[in-house]
């Protein structure tokens, strides 16, 4: 696994020169050409199920009840919680570093990285859960575990209770958060399958798991600026949006709204419709359209079979939740999810 990660990082460094050019041309900001300096993380501890059974019994139910209530009010918040989990784990590991607010000593936390600023949602939901848990068992439940549980529960409710899985816990909260690291670690919406594969491999995730986790794009919305490289439609591009979809998206982006549903058919339901949209050229991002390539096309089609994607998504979410987990040696249990102790 270590050798695979090193190979993936080497490939990333070779690829990011062209990515930087695309990013500068399309979005007006430079993409880093090399990985930020970073010490080798300690081996992840073994996470366990029912981790809080003795120390904070009922902790998972508290999380679930809050998430359910919030999704009843606004299903879009569920998509935000799943995305928050992903963005947390891919930068500094699953350590709630994405939740940290800026302070005098650190004015550029992950929240203010270009892939995150103005687009991440769910912070207030995490705050609400943390307040309830602190009232029940002070200083016990980490913010990192709350983010993981909330992502799991959002999956359950957005799938209309069809996709449920146990989420192991025992993560500690990180003390480091840097906006600069978001650019290198979070997959941009305009990259191809080769870059995507390398970026996921660098986190210990396979090509199949990359395609599986991309299925979360069946819920939520996107800002029109995130797929500006896809409009106007280029008819000569074999992965271009189909003309009807491109016209619909163009109209919406020219209207007063600057956002578009990721999935126009089942925008509020977590299901495998995303993969049909990929094959029908009805997806927004280049990073979605590229899954139709020969390298991943068979996986896209596989995920259209009944129950296949749902089963794989559960496993991929659990595996993602183990990325660079912190321990008591290099982490803490925050009192406030927005601030280090």
């Amino acid at each position: 696994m270590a050798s695979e990660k090193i190979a993936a990082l080497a490939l990333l460094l070779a690829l990011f020169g062209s990515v930087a050019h695309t990013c500068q041309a399309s979005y007006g900001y430079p993409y880093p050409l090399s990985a930020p300096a970073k010490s080798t993380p300690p081996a992840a501890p073994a996470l366990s199920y029912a981790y809080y059974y003795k120390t904070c019994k009922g902790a998972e139910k508290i999380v679930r009840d809050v998430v359910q209530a919030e999704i009843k009010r606004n299903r879009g918040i569920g998509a935000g919680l799943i995305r928050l989990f992903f963005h947390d784990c891919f930068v500094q590991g699953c350590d709630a570093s994405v939740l940290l607010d800026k302070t005098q000593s650190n004015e550029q936390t992950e929240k203010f990285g270009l892939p995150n600023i103005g687009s991440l949602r769910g912070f207030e939901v995490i705050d609400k859960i943390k307040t309830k848990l602190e009232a029940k068992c002070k200083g016990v439940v980490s913010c990192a575990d709350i983010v993981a549980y909330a992502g799991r529960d959002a999956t359950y409710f957005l799938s209309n209770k069809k996709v449920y899985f146990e989420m192991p816990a025992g993560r500690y909260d990180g003390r480091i958060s840097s906006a600069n690291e978001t650019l290198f670690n979070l997959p941009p919406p305009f990259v191809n399958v080769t870059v995507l594969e390398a970026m996921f491999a660098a986190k210990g995730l396979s090509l199949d798991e990359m395609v599986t986790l991309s299925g979360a794009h069946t819920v939520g919305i996107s800002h029109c600026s995130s797929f500006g490289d896809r409009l106007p439609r280029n008819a000569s591009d074999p992965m271009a949006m189909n003309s009807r979809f491109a016209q619909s998206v163009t109209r919406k982006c020219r209207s007063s709204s600057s956002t578009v549903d990721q999935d126009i058919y089942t925008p509020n339901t977590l299901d495998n419709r995303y993969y049909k949209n990929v094959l029908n050229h009805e997806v927004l991002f280049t990073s979605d359209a590229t899954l139709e390539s020969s390298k991943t096309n068979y996986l896209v089609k596989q995920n259209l079979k009944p129950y296949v994607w749902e089963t794989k998504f559960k496993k991929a979410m659990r595996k993602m939740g183990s990325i660079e987990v912190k321990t008591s040696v290099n982490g803490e249990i925050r009192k406030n999810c927005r601030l280090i102790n």
Side-chain angles (χ1 to χ4, degrees), residues 23-328:
C23 195
Q24 178 69 48
S26 301
Y27 299 94
Y29 62 83
Y31 210 86
L33 297 180
S34 60
K38 187 176 182 181
S39 59
T40 302
L47 301 175
S48 60
Y49 298 102
Y51 181 81
Y52 294 106
Y53 182 77
K54 292 183 179 179
T55 56
C56 190
K57 191 173 182 178
E60 290 189 57
K61 185 179 186 303
I62 289 174
V63 178
R64 188 177 305 117
D65 288 348
V66 173
V67 171
Q68 182 178 27
E70 293 296 326
I71 289 178
K72 278 185 177 179
R73 277 193 283 271
N74 177 7
R75 288 182 74 85
I77 202 66
L81 289 170
I82 295 172
R83 186 166 181 256
L84 192 65
F85 180 40
F86 176 87
H87 280 230
D88 182 39
C89 291
F90 264 59
V91 185
Q92 285 286 334
C94 307
D95 66 349
S97 53
V98 73
L99 304 179
L100 291 172
D101 282 341
K102 62 182 178 181
T103 62
Q104 287 186 337
S105 60
N106 184 5
E107 294 187 354
Q108 290 296 315
T109 60
E110 289 173 32
K111 271 185 185 178
F112 301 94
L114 285 168
N116 293 338
I117 190 168
S119 66
L120 284 185
R121 307 170 67 191
F123 298 111
E124 293 78 11
V125 178
I126 302 300
D127 291 339
K128 187 177 292 188
I129 295 168
K130 179 64 170 175
T131 298
K132 288 180 178 291
L133 288 170
E134 284 294 296
K136 180 178 174 63
C137 355
K138 189 172 183 178
V140 174
V141 182
S142 71
C143 300
D145 280 340
I146 293 173
V147 172
Y149 284 147
R152 182 269 309 272
D153 294 334
T155 298
Y156 176 63
F157 291 116
L158 288 182
S159 67
N160 295 322
K161 303 183 179 181
K162 293 178 181 178
V163 184
Y164 178 78
F165 54 96
E166 295 294 330
M167 175 64 77
R171 304 165 187 82
Y172 277 71
D173 300 322
R175 301 188 182 97
I176 298 171
S177 185
S178 170
N180 289 336
E181 291 201 19
T182 61
L183 286 172
F184 183 79
N185 288 284
L186 291 170
F190 49 80
V191 294
N192 62 30
V193 69
T194 303
V195 177
L196 286 174
E197 182 182 15
M199 295 191 81
F200 276 73
K203 304 301 177 183
L205 296 168
S206 69
L207 181 69
D208 188 10
E209 288 161 340
M210 180 273 285
V211 175
T212 298
L213 290 168
S214 295
H217 285 177
T218 190
V219 290
I221 59 175
S222 171
H223 290 272
C224 294
S225 58
S226 295
F227 50 91
D229 60 317
R230 303 257 287 157
L231 294 174
R233 176 177 178 269
N234 179 2
S236 64
D237 181 356
M239 294 184 184
M241 299 177 188
N242 69 48
S243 57
R244 182 180 61 83
F245 182 65
Q247 289 170 8
S248 173
V249 169
T250 300
R251 282 196 302 269
K252 290 177 181 177
C253 288
R254 286 176 178 172
S255 69
S256 57
S257 173
S258 61
T259 60
V260 178
D261 287 327
Q262 299 243 56
D263 179 349
I264 61 173
Y265 297 101
T266 58
N268 295 312
T269 303
L270 191 76
D271 55 22
N272 67 348
R273 174 73 207 201
Y274 166 82
Y275 299 100
K276 189 171 184 178
N277 294 345
V278 169
L279 296 176
N280 290 342
H281 294 221
E282 294 179 322
V283 287
L284 298 175
F285 304 146
T286 298
S287 57
D288 293 325
T290 191
L291 299 187
E292 196 188 7
S293 67
S294 58
K295 180 176 265 189
T296 48
N297 182 272
Y298 76 100
L299 293 170
V300 171
K301 292 178 179 177
Q302 187 182 91
N303 285 340
L304 283 170
K305 297 177 182 178
Y307 310 113
V308 170
W309 173 74
E310 291 84 351
T311 300
K312 292 199 295 184
F313 192 72
K314 298 174 189 180
K315 294 178 181 178
M317 286 281 279
R318 273 196 297 261
K319 186 173 178 181
M320 184 176 72
S322 67
I323 297 173
E324 293 183 36
V325 170
K326 304 297 186 294
T327 69
S328 59

